[in-house]
Amino acid sequence: NYYRDVNRLLHAVQKNATKGDPRSVVKAIDNFCRQKEWAMNVGDEKGCILDSVVSEVNPVTVLELGTYCGYSTVRIASLLPPRAKIITLEFNPDYAKIARQVIAWAGLEDKIQVVEGPSGEWIPKMKEQFGVKTFDLVFLDHWKDRYLPDTKLLEDCGLLRKGTILLADNVICPGTPDYLEYVRNSPRYKSQYFKSHLEYTKAEDGLEKSVFLG
Ligand SMILES: C[S@@+](CC[C@H](N)C(=O)[O-])C[C@H]1O[C@@H](n2cnc3c(N)ncnc32)[C@H](O)[C@@H]1O
Ligand SMILES: O=C(c1ccccc1)c1ccc(O)c(O)c1[N+](=O)[O-]
Ligand SMILES: [Mg+2]
Protein backbone atom coordinates (compact mmCIF):
# COMPACT_ATOMS: atom_id res chain seq x y z
CA ASN A 1 0.00 0.00 0.00
CA TYR A 2 0.99 3.63 -0.37
CA TYR A 3 2.09 4.01 3.24
CA ARG A 4 4.58 1.14 2.96
CA ASP A 5 5.94 2.72 -0.26
CA VAL A 6 6.60 6.11 1.35
CA ASN A 7 8.18 4.35 4.33
CA ARG A 8 10.61 2.66 1.95
CA LEU A 9 11.38 6.04 0.38
CA LEU A 10 12.19 7.47 3.84
CA HIS A 11 14.47 4.50 4.60
CA ALA A 12 16.28 5.04 1.29
CA VAL A 13 16.96 8.63 2.37
CA GLN A 14 18.19 7.60 5.83
CA LYS A 15 20.37 4.88 4.29
CA ASN A 16 21.85 6.79 1.31
CA ALA A 17 21.75 10.51 2.11
CA THR A 18 24.12 12.44 4.38
CA LYS A 19 22.31 13.98 7.36
CA GLY A 20 22.19 17.78 6.97
CA ASP A 21 22.95 17.66 3.25
CA PRO A 22 19.76 18.61 1.31
CA ARG A 23 21.21 17.88 -2.14
CA SER A 24 22.13 14.32 -1.08
CA VAL A 25 18.53 13.86 0.14
CA VAL A 26 17.20 14.98 -3.26
CA LYS A 27 19.68 12.63 -5.02
CA ALA A 28 18.74 9.66 -2.81
CA ILE A 29 15.02 10.11 -3.53
CA ASP A 30 15.58 10.47 -7.30
CA ASN A 31 17.77 7.34 -7.38
CA PHE A 32 15.17 5.39 -5.38
CA CYS A 33 12.32 6.52 -7.64
CA ARG A 34 14.25 5.79 -10.85
CA GLN A 35 15.63 2.43 -9.79
CA LYS A 36 13.08 1.01 -7.34
CA GLU A 37 9.60 2.62 -7.20
CA TRP A 38 8.09 5.49 -9.18
CA ALA A 39 6.71 8.20 -6.91
CA MET A 40 4.94 11.47 -7.67
CA ASN A 41 7.79 13.84 -6.65
CA VAL A 42 8.37 16.66 -9.13
CA GLY A 43 11.59 14.78 -9.97
CA ASP A 44 15.05 15.74 -11.20
CA GLU A 45 14.24 17.07 -14.68
CA LYS A 46 11.35 19.38 -13.71
CA GLY A 47 13.23 19.92 -10.42
CA CYS A 48 15.98 21.75 -12.31
CA ILE A 49 13.39 24.11 -13.79
CA LEU A 50 11.93 24.59 -10.29
CA ASP A 51 15.44 25.38 -8.99
CA SER A 52 16.02 28.01 -11.68
CA VAL A 53 12.68 29.72 -10.98
CA VAL A 54 13.35 29.72 -7.20
CA SER A 55 16.84 31.16 -7.72
CA GLU A 56 15.49 33.85 -10.06
CA VAL A 57 12.62 34.87 -7.72
CA ASN A 58 14.77 34.61 -4.56
CA PRO A 59 11.56 34.49 -2.49
CA VAL A 60 11.23 35.36 1.21
CA THR A 61 7.79 33.69 1.64
CA VAL A 62 6.89 30.57 -0.33
CA LEU A 63 3.66 28.52 -0.31
CA GLU A 64 3.75 24.91 -1.51
CA LEU A 65 0.45 23.11 -2.15
CA GLY A 66 1.08 19.37 -1.75
CA THR A 67 4.05 18.20 0.35
CA TYR A 68 3.90 14.39 -0.11
CA CYS A 69 7.36 13.22 1.11
CA GLY A 70 8.95 16.66 1.08
CA TYR A 71 11.14 16.20 -2.02
CA SER A 72 10.23 19.52 -3.65
CA THR A 73 10.03 21.20 -0.23
CA VAL A 74 13.68 20.27 0.44
CA ARG A 75 14.63 21.28 -3.13
CA ILE A 76 13.09 24.73 -2.71
CA ALA A 77 14.20 25.33 0.90
CA SER A 78 17.82 24.47 0.08
CA LEU A 79 17.88 27.49 -2.27
CA LEU A 80 16.18 30.05 0.02
CA PRO A 81 18.01 33.07 1.46
CA PRO A 82 18.67 33.02 5.29
CA ARG A 83 15.42 34.36 6.81
CA ALA A 84 13.15 33.01 4.04
CA LYS A 85 10.41 30.51 4.89
CA ILE A 86 8.27 27.95 3.07
CA ILE A 87 4.81 26.94 4.27
CA THR A 88 3.79 23.59 2.76
CA LEU A 89 0.24 22.16 2.97
CA GLU A 90 -0.45 18.40 3.15
CA PHE A 91 -3.79 16.85 4.12
CA ASN A 92 -2.62 13.19 4.30
CA PRO A 93 -1.25 12.66 7.83
CA ASP A 94 0.87 9.64 6.80
CA TYR A 95 2.59 11.66 4.08
CA ALA A 96 3.04 14.65 6.41
CA LYS A 97 4.72 12.38 8.96
CA ILE A 98 7.18 11.07 6.35
CA ALA A 99 7.83 14.58 5.00
CA ARG A 100 8.75 15.91 8.47
CA GLN A 101 11.36 13.13 8.80
CA VAL A 102 12.78 13.76 5.31
CA ILE A 103 12.96 17.49 6.06
CA ALA A 104 14.66 16.78 9.41
CA TRP A 105 17.21 14.52 7.68
CA ALA A 106 18.00 17.40 5.31
CA GLY A 107 18.38 19.71 8.34
CA LEU A 108 15.91 22.26 6.96
CA GLU A 109 13.30 22.30 9.76
CA ASP A 110 13.98 26.00 10.51
CA LYS A 111 13.01 27.09 6.99
CA ILE A 112 9.98 24.83 6.52
CA GLN A 113 6.55 24.78 8.17
CA VAL A 114 4.55 21.63 7.31
CA VAL A 115 0.84 22.41 7.86
CA GLU A 116 -1.52 19.43 7.98
CA GLY A 117 -4.92 19.95 6.44
CA PRO A 118 -6.74 20.86 3.23
CA SER A 119 -5.59 23.90 1.25
CA GLY A 120 -9.18 25.18 0.98
CA GLU A 121 -9.34 25.52 4.76
CA TRP A 122 -5.82 26.75 5.43
CA ILE A 123 -5.36 29.38 2.70
CA PRO A 124 -7.95 31.73 4.30
CA LYS A 125 -6.09 31.42 7.63
CA MET A 126 -2.58 32.19 6.36
CA LYS A 127 -2.58 35.84 7.51
CA GLU A 128 -3.99 35.32 11.02
CA GLN A 129 -2.20 32.00 11.75
CA PHE A 130 1.23 32.58 10.21
CA GLY A 131 1.48 36.34 9.88
CA VAL A 132 1.84 36.06 6.11
CA LYS A 133 1.12 39.28 4.19
CA THR A 134 1.62 38.03 0.61
CA PHE A 135 3.54 35.15 -1.00
CA ASP A 136 6.47 35.76 -3.35
CA LEU A 137 6.22 32.28 -4.87
CA VAL A 138 3.49 29.58 -4.89
CA PHE A 139 4.31 26.02 -6.06
CA LEU A 140 1.09 24.20 -7.07
CA ASP A 141 1.48 20.43 -6.98
CA HIS A 142 -1.56 19.02 -5.16
CA TRP A 143 -4.64 17.36 -6.71
CA LYS A 144 -5.03 18.89 -10.14
CA ASP A 145 -8.70 19.89 -9.79
CA ARG A 146 -7.71 22.14 -6.87
CA TYR A 147 -5.26 24.36 -8.79
CA LEU A 148 -7.91 26.76 -10.13
CA PRO A 149 -10.14 27.07 -7.04
CA ASP A 150 -7.10 27.57 -4.79
CA THR A 151 -5.63 30.20 -7.12
CA LYS A 152 -8.92 32.14 -6.98
CA LEU A 153 -8.92 31.68 -3.19
CA LEU A 154 -5.38 33.09 -2.97
CA GLU A 155 -6.52 36.12 -5.02
CA ASP A 156 -9.65 36.65 -2.88
CA CYS A 157 -7.64 36.37 0.37
CA GLY A 158 -5.22 39.06 -0.85
CA LEU A 159 -2.28 36.66 -0.62
CA LEU A 160 -0.90 37.52 -4.07
CA ARG A 161 0.90 40.79 -4.84
CA LYS A 162 2.00 42.43 -8.09
CA GLY A 163 4.84 40.13 -9.24
CA THR A 164 3.96 37.00 -7.23
CA ILE A 165 5.01 33.94 -9.24
CA LEU A 166 2.74 30.87 -9.48
CA LEU A 167 4.62 27.75 -10.64
CA ALA A 168 2.33 24.81 -11.45
CA ASP A 169 3.44 21.19 -11.93
CA ASN A 170 1.71 18.66 -14.23
CA VAL A 171 -0.07 21.08 -16.52
CA ILE A 172 0.13 18.42 -19.29
CA CYS A 173 0.24 15.10 -17.37
CA PRO A 174 -2.06 14.43 -15.53
CA GLY A 175 -3.08 17.89 -16.78
CA THR A 176 -4.88 20.91 -15.36
CA PRO A 177 -6.92 22.23 -18.30
CA ASP A 178 -9.18 24.65 -16.43
CA TYR A 179 -6.22 26.19 -14.54
CA LEU A 180 -4.16 26.50 -17.74
CA GLU A 181 -7.04 28.18 -19.60
CA TYR A 182 -7.46 30.63 -16.70
CA VAL A 183 -3.84 31.77 -16.26
CA ARG A 184 -3.22 31.90 -20.03
CA ASN A 185 -6.33 34.00 -20.81
CA SER A 186 -6.80 36.15 -17.71
CA PRO A 187 -5.50 39.73 -18.08
CA ARG A 188 -4.29 39.41 -14.47
CA TYR A 189 -1.53 36.90 -15.37
CA LYS A 190 1.45 36.68 -17.72
CA SER A 191 2.05 32.96 -18.35
CA GLN A 192 4.92 30.87 -19.73
CA TYR A 193 5.16 27.10 -20.36
CA PHE A 194 8.35 25.12 -19.57
CA LYS A 195 8.25 21.85 -21.52
CA SER A 196 9.68 18.82 -19.74
CA HIS A 197 8.68 15.21 -18.90
CA LEU A 198 6.60 13.47 -16.27
CA GLU A 199 8.97 12.62 -13.41
CA TYR A 200 11.14 9.54 -14.06
CA THR A 201 9.39 8.85 -17.42
CA LYS A 202 9.51 9.83 -21.12
CA ALA A 203 5.91 11.11 -21.13
CA GLU A 204 5.50 14.80 -21.91
CA ASP A 205 4.71 17.12 -19.01
CA GLY A 206 5.69 20.65 -18.07
CA LEU A 207 5.55 23.51 -15.59
CA GLU A 208 3.52 26.68 -16.13
CA LYS A 209 5.04 29.85 -14.65
CA SER A 210 2.51 32.67 -14.21
CA VAL A 211 3.21 36.18 -12.90
CA PHE A 212 0.29 37.85 -11.05
CA LEU A 213 -0.04 41.37 -12.47
CA GLY A 214 -2.14 42.74 -9.60
C1 LIG B 1 2.13 15.09 -6.17
S1 LIG B 1 2.09 15.04 -4.45
C2 LIG B 1 3.20 16.39 -3.98
C3 LIG B 1 4.60 16.16 -4.45
C4 LIG B 1 5.62 17.17 -3.91
N1 LIG B 1 5.24 18.57 -4.24
C5 LIG B 1 6.99 16.88 -4.49
O1 LIG B 1 7.23 17.29 -5.64
O2 LIG B 1 7.80 16.23 -3.82
C6 LIG B 1 0.50 15.74 -4.11
C7 LIG B 1 0.20 15.83 -2.63
O3 LIG B 1 -0.83 16.79 -2.40
C8 LIG B 1 -1.67 16.33 -1.33
N2 LIG B 1 -2.94 17.06 -1.52
C9 LIG B 1 -3.80 16.90 -2.54
N3 LIG B 1 -4.81 17.79 -2.44
C10 LIG B 1 -4.58 18.54 -1.32
C11 LIG B 1 -5.25 19.61 -0.67
N4 LIG B 1 -6.37 20.12 -1.18
N5 LIG B 1 -4.73 20.12 0.46
C12 LIG B 1 -3.58 19.62 0.97
N6 LIG B 1 -2.87 18.61 0.41
C13 LIG B 1 -3.38 18.07 -0.72
C14 LIG B 1 -1.72 14.82 -1.51
O4 LIG B 1 -2.03 14.17 -0.29
C15 LIG B 1 -0.31 14.51 -2.00
O5 LIG B 1 0.55 14.16 -0.94
O1 LIG C 1 -2.24 12.70 -10.02
C1 LIG C 1 -1.19 12.08 -10.07
C2 LIG C 1 -1.22 10.61 -10.11
C3 LIG C 1 -2.27 10.00 -10.75
C4 LIG C 1 -2.32 8.61 -10.78
C5 LIG C 1 -1.34 7.85 -10.16
C6 LIG C 1 -0.29 8.49 -9.51
C7 LIG C 1 -0.23 9.88 -9.47
C8 LIG C 1 0.11 12.80 -10.14
C9 LIG C 1 1.07 12.43 -11.10
C10 LIG C 1 2.25 13.16 -11.24
C11 LIG C 1 2.46 14.28 -10.43
O2 LIG C 1 3.60 15.04 -10.53
C12 LIG C 1 1.51 14.66 -9.46
O3 LIG C 1 1.76 15.80 -8.75
C13 LIG C 1 0.35 13.90 -9.28
N1 LIG C 1 -0.58 14.18 -8.20
O4 LIG C 1 -1.17 13.22 -7.67
O5 LIG C 1 -0.70 15.33 -7.78
MG1 LIG D 1 3.41 16.88 -9.53
Side-chain angles (χ1 to χ4, degrees):
N1 70 355
Y2 262 131
Y3 185 64
R4 265 205 306 277
D5 298 351
V6 291
N7 241 318
R8 280 197 293 273
L9 184 148
L10 172 65
H11 293 148
V13 167
Q14 294 168 335
K15 179 163 169 277
N16 305 312
T18 308
K19 211 164 171 12
D21 174 0
R23 301 318 288 181
S24 75
V25 168
V26 167
K27 199 109 212 85
I29 294 173
D30 283 328
N31 289 341
F32 177 76
C33 294
R34 272 195 185 290
Q35 291 150 22
K36 300 277 184 342
E37 293 167 28
W38 185 92
M40 55 184 170
N41 321 112
V42 70
D44 41 0
E45 194 183 317
K46 289 184 289 178
C48 288
I49 301 167
L50 171 63
D51 291 353
S52 59
V53 171
V54 173
S55 304
E56 176 204 332
V57 176
N58 217 14
V60 174
T61 50
V62 182
L63 174 66
E64 175 178 69
L65 300 174
T67 317
Y68 189 42
C69 300
Y71 171 91
S72 55
T73 328
V74 164
R75 243 193 130 114
I76 294 168
S78 69
L79 298 173
L80 294 181
R83 274 169 312 292
K85 291 259 185 286
I86 174 167
I87 295 174
T88 181
L89 303 187
E90 175 53 60
F91 65 9
N92 181 311
D94 294 333
Y95 295 160
K97 199 158 155 281
I98 298 287
R100 291 183 202 281
Q101 295 172 82
V102 168
I103 288 160
W105 198 265
L108 290 168
E109 308 92 313
D110 298 350
K111 295 179 133 1
I112 299 168
Q113 169 125 37
V114 178
V115 177
E116 271 183 62
S119 50
E121 285 176 26
W122 275 105
I123 287 172
K125 294 192 232 169
M126 281 295 144
K127 295 194 178 216
E128 64 183 289
Q129 294 283 327
F130 303 106
V132 168
K133 273 191 10 286
T134 54
F135 288 108
D136 303 314
L137 172 67
V138 180
F139 179 49
L140 298 94
D141 192 21
H142 54 336
W143 289 171
K144 311 312 162 194
D145 61 352
R146 286 300 312 178
Y147 283 27
L148 183 54
D150 284 344
T151 297
K152 290 183 170 171
L153 193 53
L154 286 163
E155 289 174 12
D156 299 346
C157 296
L159 286 164
L160 306 182
R161 53 135 173 105
K162 207 165 146 54
T164 294
I165 301 289
L166 302 188
L167 188 65
D169 190 25
N170 311 113
V171 295
I172 302 301
C173 176
T176 63
D178 58 344
Y179 172 81
L180 219 40
E181 200 275 331
Y182 180 72
V183 288
R184 288 180 175 175
N185 298 308
S186 161
R188 305 185 77 184
Y189 292 90
K190 174 100 187 62
S191 231
Q192 186 186 1
Y193 174 60
F194 291 80
K195 188 173 165 26
S196 183
H197 296 95
L198 179 68
E199 50 267 24
Y200 319 117
T201 78
K202 292 191 171 16
E204 183 183 342
D205 188 21
L207 300 172
E208 188 81 1
K209 177 188 167 195
S210 309
V211 188
F212 184 63
L213 302 173

